[in-house]
């Protein structure tokens, strides 16, 4: 025993080791739920229990649903069969339906095994019932679905006499009239009895499944316990993770040495750093080929921290710790890491981190605005002083204007195309540099200059020593001498290329920094220039599109408002800074001295929105010639918008075109003001309502029916009109939401500001527009703003004449004579003959073919307006009579003598109007019959 202890090691140490091993083994062997096997058993049993309970619940619920569904289906089938049975409608119409139907219905109930069948009158009164004492009493529950809508349905009824699954079916006679109801059903208690019969089978199946699942889980758990030796999950996971981490995952070399200084374990990194082979385990440290200092350290048993030891051509930082800190005989663990390239890597990593950080900042700081000049300035500011002491950016003239470069060339011949540029940005670490200022023209005529070489190659060019750059000095000898005297000593130039097109040039200069530009700076400069070029090209494109959209938008908006007397108008239109949208306004004169006020907004920005606005504005003009009410006009406009959008093809491409080129989402507000009555009719298609300013300064926002935006109603949701009575001098303020909404301000806040701004009375529409924009206009509008202010006028009552006309041909002449007298009073004797002729034709037609009431109205505005109204909606048509026709020339004469004429329809009847302009040309008619004879002509 002594020899074996000496060979195996000291006796006390060995004994302690065996005792510790037994104690640890006993601690690791877990029982019950703390072991992996126990936890697997518990988990499987729990899952089985949950699955079985869930299945039982679903089966229970489904069985109950099926039983109720069967009961409702049976009830409905019987009720429908009885309701459609021949002769039941006659029985219900008989004097005593109960006598005729009670026995038959009760027989049917017993044959179908239903709990009740009842026949009711249309008012719910029972004619028959399975309980005779209920006959003559009104049925409980809401039966309107059957009595009013004529619908057959089933329901779970709760009430007297019993809760039941009930079916209700109307009885309809041959004329389609509901003459009664048939109700049938099964009581809930009987449904539940049928369901309870199935519960024992369901419970037995669930219990058997649970026993089988738990038994299977127990067998699996028993086998798993034998294979894992009762270890818990934490111990097994920790053992596996420790082993894998030490051997493979740890990026430091690890050697474990026993007390005899033999190698027990070496991980992958240690084998790589020390060059150890697969047979190194169990060998003495002196036999591993290690450096003598490293062997001495391992044999000494002393601890060490980050001592530098050599291993071949590597320098290793070594740390040693004993495995048993308090034991007399202990092994050790040595960790090591390679520090050979640490210093070089640290320097290069710091430079790389700085460049990456600068590129990140460039991505954030360059292109914050869609302005070409500002983007170039941002490029110069990013590069100074962290990359260069001075930076300049030169761009081609077309790029500054937002256009494509006039000469699109390949980079191989780009020198000739970009020989002249405009200096757009300059940034320096200190002021007073020798470089040309912003705005100067910069030329690259000498092919050997770094700038020309960069343009020719399409890549960055570095000039480490400017003093040796002959081409650069020959380009501008005086400027080169000043730059060298200032201290400029190194240059890096890079072209700004986007889509293969030269946009400009970026030049980076060093004067205060002693280190010149090197080859390692080229890739960074090209990356920086590439990001800036994309931002500049985006800004250029935006500038071009914005200019085109503004031009298109302004060309589509009214430049000069038409002359009219109904309102005094002022307007404003401001395009958004981020892109022109589809806002518009309009003032359209209408017959009868009326005027239409329009404001609208197409969702979106850019050319598509402006073009869509033009289409809508043209459509509104066209529809306004129909002289229909505002709600009807918006209905036509909505239908047109839906048709335009639906013409695009289906699929992804069509969807994109509908989104980009369609006009879905447009809103519109259309108002018609009549100065003769002071009545304003307004309708909205999803647009904010107007502001109404009374003559005393009181501001209101009338409640309007908002309607759906154009293109979304599809004709299913009609628009509604609202009538407003406006005193003379009232102001109607129409606007788009861009006036009220902006960053940090919602619609309601803007509405409050607008109200407070409009409260000041005695201001002209022009002053009102100016005050509103001063208060509400944001510094950088993100949406278009359209504003229209109209101050109302009323037509002088002395300039309006009205007559009621009886339905008698003899009544035409007195009205015609009265109209002639009124024209003489107005000083319009020159129009008397034409007006009398027109009135004779229109009144005669209304008397002969129209309906009461017949009214005549004359309006003396900018023109003389003759209106004849009647209660008929039939309108005459202009036609040319043949030479032998006795009639048919009436409307032809009206069209010849009137400046213009037409028909408008009201809620009831029509109005035919004609306008005469004083001093207008006389029609070229050879002979005109007398007015009394004209009354006998047919249309």
């Amino acid at each position: 025993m002594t020899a074996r202890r000496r060979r195996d090691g000291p006796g006390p140490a060995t004994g302690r080791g065996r005792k510790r091993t037994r104690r640890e083994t006993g601690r690791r062997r877990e029982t019950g739920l703390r072991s992996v096997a126990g936890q697997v058993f518990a988990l499987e049993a729990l899952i089985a229990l949950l699955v079985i309970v869930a299945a039982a619940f679903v089966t229970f619920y489904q069985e109950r649903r099926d039983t109720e569904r069967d009961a409702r289906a049976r009830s409905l089938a019987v009720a429908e069969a009885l309701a459609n049975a021949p002769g039941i409608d006659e029985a219900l119409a008989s004097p005593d339906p109960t006598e005729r139907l009670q026995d038959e219905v009760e027989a049917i109930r017993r044959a179908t095994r239903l709990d009740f069948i009842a026949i009711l009158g249309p008012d719910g009164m029972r004619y028959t019932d399975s309980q005779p004492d209920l006959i003559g009493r009104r049925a409980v529950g809401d039966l309107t679905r059957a009595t009013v809508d004529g619908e057959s349905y089933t329901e779970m009824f709760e009430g007297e006499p019993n809760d039941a699954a009930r079916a209700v079916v109307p009885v309809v006679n041959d004329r389609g009239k509901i003459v009664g109801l048939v109700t049938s059903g099964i009581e809930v208690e009987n449904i539940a009895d049928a369901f309870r019969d199935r519960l024992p089978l369901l419970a037995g199946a669930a219990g058997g499944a649970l026993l089988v699942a738990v038994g299977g889980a127990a067998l699996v758990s028993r086998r798993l316990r034998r294979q894992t030796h009762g270890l818990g999950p934490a111990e097994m996971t920790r053992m596996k993770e420790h082993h894998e981490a030490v051997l493979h995952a740890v990026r430091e070399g690890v050697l474990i040495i026993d007390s005899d200084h033999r190698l027990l374990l070496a991980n992958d990194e240690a084998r790589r750093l020390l060059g150890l082979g697969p047979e190194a385990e169990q060998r003495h440290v002196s036999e591993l080929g290690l450096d003598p200092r490293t062997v001495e350290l391992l044999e000494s048993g002393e601890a060490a921290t980050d001592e530098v030891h050599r291993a071949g051509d590597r320098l290793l930082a070594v740390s040693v710790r004993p495995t048993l800190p308090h034991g007399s005989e202990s092994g050790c663990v040595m960790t090591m890491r390679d520090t050979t390239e640490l210093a070089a890597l640290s320097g290069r990593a710091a430079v790389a981190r700085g460049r990456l950080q600068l590129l990140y900042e460039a991505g954030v700081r360059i292109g914050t605005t869609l302005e070409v000049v500002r983007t170039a300035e941002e490029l110069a500011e990013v590069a100074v002083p962290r990359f260069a002491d001075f930076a300049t950016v030169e761009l081609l003239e077309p790029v500054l204007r937002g256009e494509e470069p006039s000469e699109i060339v390949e980079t191989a011949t780009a020198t000739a195309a970009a020989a002249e540029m405009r200096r757009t940005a300059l940034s320096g670490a200190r002021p007073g540099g020798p470089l040309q200022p912003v705005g100067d023209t910069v030329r690259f005529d000498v092919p050997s200059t770094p700038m020309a070489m960069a343009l020719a190659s399409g890549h960055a060019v570095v000039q480490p020593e400017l003093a040796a750059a002959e081409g650069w000095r020959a380009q501008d000898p005086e400027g080169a001498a000043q730059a060298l005297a200032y201290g400029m000593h190194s240059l890096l130039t890079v072209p700004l290329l986007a889509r293969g097109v030269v946009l400009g040039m970026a030049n980076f200069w060093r004067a205060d920094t002693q280190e010149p530009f090197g080859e390692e700076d080229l890739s960074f400069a090209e990356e920086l220039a590439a990001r800036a070029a994309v931002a500049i090209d985006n800004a250029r494109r935006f500038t071009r599109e914005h200019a085109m959209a503004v031009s298109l938008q302004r060309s589509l908006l009214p430049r000069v408002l038409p002359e009219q007397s109904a309102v005094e108008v002022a307007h404003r239109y401001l395009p958004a800074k981020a892109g022109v949208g589809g806002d518009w306004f309009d003032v359209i004169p209408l017959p009868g001295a009326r005027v239409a006020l329009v404001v609208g907004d197409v969702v979106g920005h850019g050319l598509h929105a402006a073009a869509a606005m033009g289409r809508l504005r043209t459509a509104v003009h066209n529809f306004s010639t129909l002289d229909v009410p505002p709600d009807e006009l918006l209905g036509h406009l909505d239908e047109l918008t839906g048709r335009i959008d639906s013409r695009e093809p289906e699929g992804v491409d069509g969807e994109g075109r509908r989104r980009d080129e369609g006009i879905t989402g447009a809103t519109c507000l259309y108002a018609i003001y009549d100065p003769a009555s002071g009545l304003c009719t307004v309708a909205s298609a999803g647009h904010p309502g107007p502001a109404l300013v009374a003559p005393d300064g009181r501001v209101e926002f009338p409640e309007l029916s908002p309607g759906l935006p154009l293109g979304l109603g599809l004709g299913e949701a009609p628009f509604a009109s609202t009538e407003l009575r406006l005193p003379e001098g009232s102001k109607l303020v129409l606007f788009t939401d861009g006036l009220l909404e902006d960053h940090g301000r919602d619609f309601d806040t803007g509405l409050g500001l607008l109200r407070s701004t409009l409260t000041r009375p005695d201001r002209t529409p022009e002053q009102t527009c100016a005050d509103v924009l001063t208060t509400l206009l944001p510094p950088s509008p993100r949406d278009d703003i359209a504003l229209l202010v109209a101050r109302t006028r009323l037509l002088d009552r002395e300039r309006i004449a009205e007559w009621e006309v009886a339905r008698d041909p003899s009544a035409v002449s007195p009205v015609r004579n009265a109209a002639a007298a009124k024209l003489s009073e107005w000083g319009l004797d020159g129009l008397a003959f034409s007006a009398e002729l027109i009135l004779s034709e229109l009144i005669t037609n209304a008397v002969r073919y129209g309906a009461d009431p017949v009214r005549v109205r004359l309006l003396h505005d900018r023109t003389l307006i003759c209106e004849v109204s009647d209660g008929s909606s039939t309108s005459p048509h202009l036609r040319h009579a043949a030479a032998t026709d006795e009639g048919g020339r009436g409307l032809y004469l009206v069209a010849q003598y009137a400046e213009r004429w037409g028909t408008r329809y009201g809620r009831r009847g029509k109005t035919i109007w004609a306008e005469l302009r004083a001093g207008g040309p006389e029609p070229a008619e050879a002979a005109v019959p007398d007015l009394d004879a004209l009354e006998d002509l047919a249309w």
Side-chain angles (χ1 to χ4, degrees):
M1 291 180 64
T2 303
R4 186 168 61 250
R5 187 182 302 117
R6 187 178 296 116
R7 184 171 59 251
D8 295 340
T14 303
R16 284 197 302 270
R18 287 197 302 270
K19 184 177 181 180
R20 183 171 59 253
T21 301
R22 288 193 298 268
R23 184 168 58 251
E24 291 176 355
T25 302
R27 179 177 54 82
R28 288 198 302 266
R29 294 176 183 269
E30 303 289 353
T31 58
L33 292 179
R34 299 181 63 183
S35 66
V36 173
Q39 293 182 13
V40 169
F41 170 77
L43 182 60
E44 288 185 347
L46 178 60
I47 292 175
L49 177 62
L50 292 178
V51 170
I52 293 171
V53 170
F57 176 77
V58 170
T59 305
F60 174 85
Y61 182 75
Q62 187 62 40
E63 287 289 339
R64 181 176 179 180
R65 288 287 302 274
D66 291 344
T67 304
E68 291 181 357
R69 188 183 302 112
D70 179 65
R72 294 170 72 163
R74 288 175 54 199
S75 301
L76 181 62
V78 173
E80 287 184 338
L82 187 57
N84 296 316
I88 189 170
D89 53 342
E90 297 178 0
L92 288 172
S94 66
D96 191 356
T98 302
E99 181 179 358
R100 294 188 59 179
L101 296 175
Q102 172 64 20
D103 295 338
E104 295 181 7
V105 171
E106 184 62 18
I108 293 173
R109 183 192 68 79
R110 288 193 297 271
T112 57
R113 291 180 296 181
L114 297 181
D115 290 336
F116 66 89
I117 299 178
I119 298 180
L120 315 178
D123 57 353
M125 189 66 66
R126 300 177 188 267
Y127 291 152
T128 72
D129 199 277
S130 57
Q131 299 182 25
D133 58 332
L134 296 178
I135 297 175
R137 296 171 59 182
R138 192 177 305 276
V140 180
D142 185 8
L143 303 174
T144 56
R145 290 175 59 185
T147 58
V148 177
D149 300 334
E151 178 183 352
S152 300
Y153 64 94
T154 63
E155 63 179 356
M156 295 303 298
F157 173 75
E158 296 180 0
E160 295 293 336
N162 293 301
D163 297 345
R166 181 175 73 173
V168 181
V169 178
V171 180
V172 183
N173 62 12
D174 295 339
R175 294 186 300 275
K177 182 178 178 182
I178 299 174
V179 298
L181 303 175
V182 176
T183 65
S184 63
I186 300 175
E187 296 179 358
V188 172
E189 182 178 355
N190 294 333
I191 296 174
D193 290 341
F195 173 70
R196 292 190 192 99
D197 295 339
R198 305 180 186 179
L199 287 180
L201 179 61
L202 178 62
L210 181 61
L211 290 177
V212 171
V214 172
L219 293 176
V220 172
S221 175
R222 180 179 179 184
R223 182 173 181 83
L224 184 60
R225 182 178 294 107
R226 288 199 304 267
Q227 294 178 347
T228 59
H229 303 286
L231 291 177
E235 288 78 3
M236 295 183 64
T237 302
R238 186 161 55 248
M239 289 173 60
K240 177 65 175 176
E241 290 177 349
H242 287 180
H243 185 269
E244 294 296 330
V246 172
L247 283 181
H248 309 295
V250 173
R251 291 298 88 191
E252 289 188 349
V254 177
L255 295 180
I256 300 178
I257 311 298
D258 66 7
S259 57
D260 291 335
H261 310 304
R262 294 182 180 275
L263 178 63
L264 294 180
L265 182 141
N267 69 349
D268 295 345
E269 184 69 9
R271 293 178 183 276
R272 185 185 68 83
L273 294 176
L274 300 177
L276 301 178
E279 71 286 349
E281 277 84 357
Q282 300 302 323
R283 298 179 62 181
H284 197 276
V285 293
S286 59
E287 302 174 1
L288 299 178
L290 305 180
D291 183 76
R293 291 185 60 243
T294 306
V295 175
E296 182 181 355
L297 176 62
L298 292 175
E299 292 180 340
S300 66
E302 298 177 357
T305 301
D306 288 340
E307 290 188 6
V308 179
H309 291 247
R310 184 173 295 276
D313 57 351
R314 291 187 176 91
L315 294 178
L316 305 180
V318 174
S319 298
V320 179
R321 292 292 185 273
T323 55
L324 296 176
H326 305 292
S328 58
E329 296 290 339
S330 171
C332 64
V333 176
M334 184 177 75
T335 60
M336 64 202 78
R337 63 180 184 277
D338 193 353
T339 61
T340 306
E341 300 179 358
L342 184 58
L345 287 176
S346 297
R348 287 198 296 269
V351 174
R353 282 196 300 270
R355 295 290 170 83
L356 288 175
Q357 180 66 25
L358 187 56
L359 285 177
Y360 170 77
E361 292 182 8
V364 174
R365 294 174 56 184
I366 298 176
T368 57
T369 65
L370 290 173
E371 298 179 3
V372 174
V373 174
R374 181 54 193 156
T375 304
E377 292 173 350
E378 290 168 346
L379 170 59
E381 292 170 359
V382 165
V384 177
R386 295 167 60 181
F387 181 66
D389 298 322
F390 290 87
T392 62
V393 180
E394 293 80 40
L395 298 177
L396 294 172
E397 289 287 352
V399 176
L400 291 172
R401 295 192 299 268
E403 305 171 359
E404 285 279 359
S406 57
E407 301 178 19
I408 305 299
V409 294
E410 298 296 332
T411 56
T413 58
T415 306
E420 183 176 299
M421 298 183 183
R422 180 76 60 186
R423 178 148 291 172
T424 309
L426 187 153
S427 180
R430 49 192 171 101
L435 302 175
Q436 290 177 258
V438 172
D440 278 12
T441 299
V442 180
R443 300 188 61 83
F444 312 116
D445 296 330
V446 179
S448 59
T449 60
M451 297 78 167
M453 295 169 61
L455 289 173
S457 65
H459 297 285
V461 173
V462 63
Q463 185 64 51
E465 294 293 335
L466 279 177
E470 298 294 337
W472 173 73
R473 298 176 66 179
Q475 174 71 41
D476 182 10
E478 183 179 354
Q482 293 177 0
L484 292 174
Y486 187 80
M488 299 286 187
H489 63 83
S490 186
L491 167 66
L492 193 156
T493 181
V494 57
L496 299 175
L497 301 175
R499 301 172 290 109
V501 178
V502 176
L503 303 179
M505 173 73 63
N507 298 301
F508 305 105
W509 313 76
R510 282 186 179 174
D512 300 334
T513 303
Q514 297 301 318
E515 181 182 358
F517 288 111
E519 295 296 330
E520 66 277 5
D521 297 316
L522 293 178
S523 59
F524 170 78
E526 289 184 344
E527 178 68 21
L528 183 63
R531 297 191 181 194
V534 172
I536 291 173
D537 191 49
N538 290 339
R540 178 196 63 77
R541 290 186 177 193
F542 173 79
T543 301
R544 179 186 62 180
E545 183 173 340
H546 184 73
M548 294 172 60
V550 169
S551 300
L552 176 62
Q553 178 85 331
R554 293 196 180 280
S555 68
L556 295 174
L557 289 172
R559 298 185 179 182
V560 179
L561 296 181
E563 295 183 358
Q564 44 80 35
S565 303
V567 291
E568 178 187 356
V569 179
H571 60 87
R572 296 289 189 276
Y573 170 74
L574 296 175
K577 294 293 184 182
V580 173
D583 293 12
W584 90 93
F585 64 91
D586 224 328
V587 178
I588 306 173
L590 298 177
R594 297 168 303 140
V595 65
L597 305 175
V598 190
V599 66
D601 184 3
V602 175
V603 177
H605 294 86
L607 292 175
H608 295 308
M613 178 274 293
R615 298 161 78 180
L616 282 180
R617 181 170 178 258
T618 302
V620 171
H621 268 271
N622 292 336
F623 288 137
S624 67
T625 60
L626 301 176
D627 204 1
V628 295
D631 55 338
E632 293 186 24
L633 185 141
L634 291 181
H636 291 311
L637 198 61
D638 177 66
E639 182 181 0
L640 174 65
T641 304
R643 288 204 307 269
I644 291 175
D645 288 337
S646 65
R647 288 174 187 166
E648 299 298 339
E650 298 295 332
V652 178
D653 295 340
E655 200 62 36
R657 292 185 61 185
R658 278 194 293 271
R659 182 176 59 254
D660 295 337
E661 302 179 15
I663 54 179
T664 301
T667 63
C668 183
L669 183 72
Y670 189 87
I672 296 178
Y673 173 68
D674 185 359
S677 61
L679 190 65
C680 182
T681 306
V682 187
S684 171
H687 198 86
L692 179 60
V693 185
D696 59 358
R698 181 168 44 86
V699 180
E700 297 179 3
F701 294 95
E703 292 288 339
L704 303 181
S705 177
L708 293 174
L710 299 175
L712 300 180
L714 303 178
E716 298 178 1
F719 298 97
S721 294
T722 302
E723 293 187 347
L724 306 174
R725 185 73 63 177
L726 305 183
E728 185 172 13
S730 301
K731 286 195 284 289
L732 199 63
V733 181
L734 285 70
F735 52 87
T736 57
D737 54 5
L739 178 68
L740 305 182
E741 295 179 328
D742 197 67
H743 298 287
R745 186 176 70 197
D746 57 15
F747 186 85
D748 293 335
T749 303
L751 211 60
L753 290 175
L754 179 63
R755 179 190 294 274
S756 61
T757 305
L758 296 175
T759 51
R760 293 172 51 192
D762 302 329
R763 287 181 299 174
T764 65
E766 282 291 338
Q767 292 171 338
T768 302
C769 282
D771 292 345
V772 168
L773 291 184
T774 301
T775 303
L776 280 84
L777 182 64
S780 180
R782 65 177 182 178
D783 196 4
D784 286 16
I785 294 175
L787 176 64
L788 184 66
V789 179
R791 184 162 59 184
T792 61
R793 301 188 181 108
L794 286 178
L795 195 62
D796 190 354
R797 298 305 302 176
E798 296 297 327
R799 288 175 169 257
I800 304 175
E802 297 179 286
W803 296 276
E804 289 275 351
V805 183
R807 294 287 306 283
D808 186 351
S810 63
V812 178
S813 181
V815 174
R816 185 184 65 211
N817 295 333
K822 179 59 70 173
L823 293 179
S824 177
E825 178 185 337
W826 287 344
L828 300 176
D829 296 306
L831 300 178
F833 177 78
S834 299
E836 289 184 62
L837 184 145
I838 291 172
L839 288 175
S840 293
E841 296 299 329
L842 298 181
I843 297 173
T844 300
N845 179 71
V847 169
R848 288 183 176 181
Y849 308 110
D852 288 329
V854 178
R855 296 187 178 90
V856 177
R857 186 171 74 163
L858 296 181
L859 300 176
H860 182 197
D861 191 39
R862 294 175 180 267
T863 60
L864 176 64
I865 304 169
C866 305
E867 297 180 347
V868 177
S869 306
D870 68 85
S872 172
S873 298
T874 303
S875 176
H877 298 281
L878 178 65
R879 67 185 181 93
H880 296 274
T884 58
D885 289 347
E886 295 182 1
R889 297 177 178 84
L891 277 185
Y892 177 76
L893 292 176
V894 172
Q896 291 295 309
Y897 279 87
E899 180 82 12
R900 59 178 186 148
W901 71 280
T903 304
R904 70 172 178 270
Y905 296 91
R907 300 300 179 187
R908 180 188 173 200
K910 66 178 181 299
T911 299
I912 303 179
W913 56 269
E915 290 187 5
L916 297 171
R917 188 177 299 276
E922 290 294 332
E925 264 312 307
V928 178
D930 63 85
L931 298 181
D932 292 328
L934 284 175
E935 296 177 4
D936 297 327
L937 293 178
W939 291 89

